[in-house]
Amino acid sequence: FTTLDVAPSRRARVYAAGRSEQDQGPRFFRSDDEGATLERVETDFFGAQELWVSGVSPADPDTVFVRAVRGLGT
C-alpha cells in the first residue's frame, strides 16, 4: 500500500490505496473492521497509473478523496 487513512466519524472505516504486484495497476480498498480485512473497491479511475488516499470527509465516512496519476499529471 502507498497510503492509508481512517474515517474520523467512523474509526473502524479504513481506506487504502496501492499497486498490484501482478500488473502494477492501481488498487483501492476499504475496511469496516479497523483494517483486519480489506475489500477491494472496483471502480474506474479513468486510466490512472497510481492512486493515493488524500483524506476522508470528517462528516461522512463514505466520502473519500483520492489523488491519481494519469500521464504526466495528477
Side-chain angles (χ1 to χ4, degrees), residues 18-27 49-50:
R19 298 184 77 153
S20 167
E21 289 183 357
Q22 290 81 20
D23 65 10
Q24 295 300 304
R27 299 293 186 264
Q49 291 96 16
E50 196 162 346

Side-chain angles (χ1 to χ4, degrees), residues 7 11 15 22 27 43 55 60-62:
R11 305 298 295 174
Y15 291 99
Q22 290 81 20
R27 299 293 186 264
T43 191
D60 181 3
D62 293 325

Side-chain angles (χ1 to χ4, degrees), residues 8-59:
S9 62
R10 187 184 299 166
R11 305 298 295 174
R13 172 73 55 86
V14 177
Y15 291 99
R19 298 184 77 153
S20 167
E21 289 183 357
Q22 290 81 20
D23 65 10
Q24 295 300 304
R27 299 293 186 264
F28 186 68
F29 299 89
R30 184 179 87 182
S31 172
D32 282 315
D33 57 10
E34 299 177 338
T37 60
L38 293 170
E39 175 184 336
R40 183 171 170 197
V41 177
E42 298 283 345
T43 191
D44 185 359
F45 290 106
F46 305 103
Q49 291 96 16
E50 196 162 346
L51 301 174
W52 294 277
V53 178
S54 295
V56 182
S57 167

Side-chain angles (χ1 to χ4, degrees), residues 2-6 15-17 28-29 51-56 64-67:
T2 54
T3 53
L4 178 74
D5 209 343
V6 176
Y15 291 99
F28 186 68
F29 299 89
L51 301 174
W52 294 277
V53 178
S54 295
V56 182
V64 60
F65 301 95
V66 177
R67 189 167 185 177

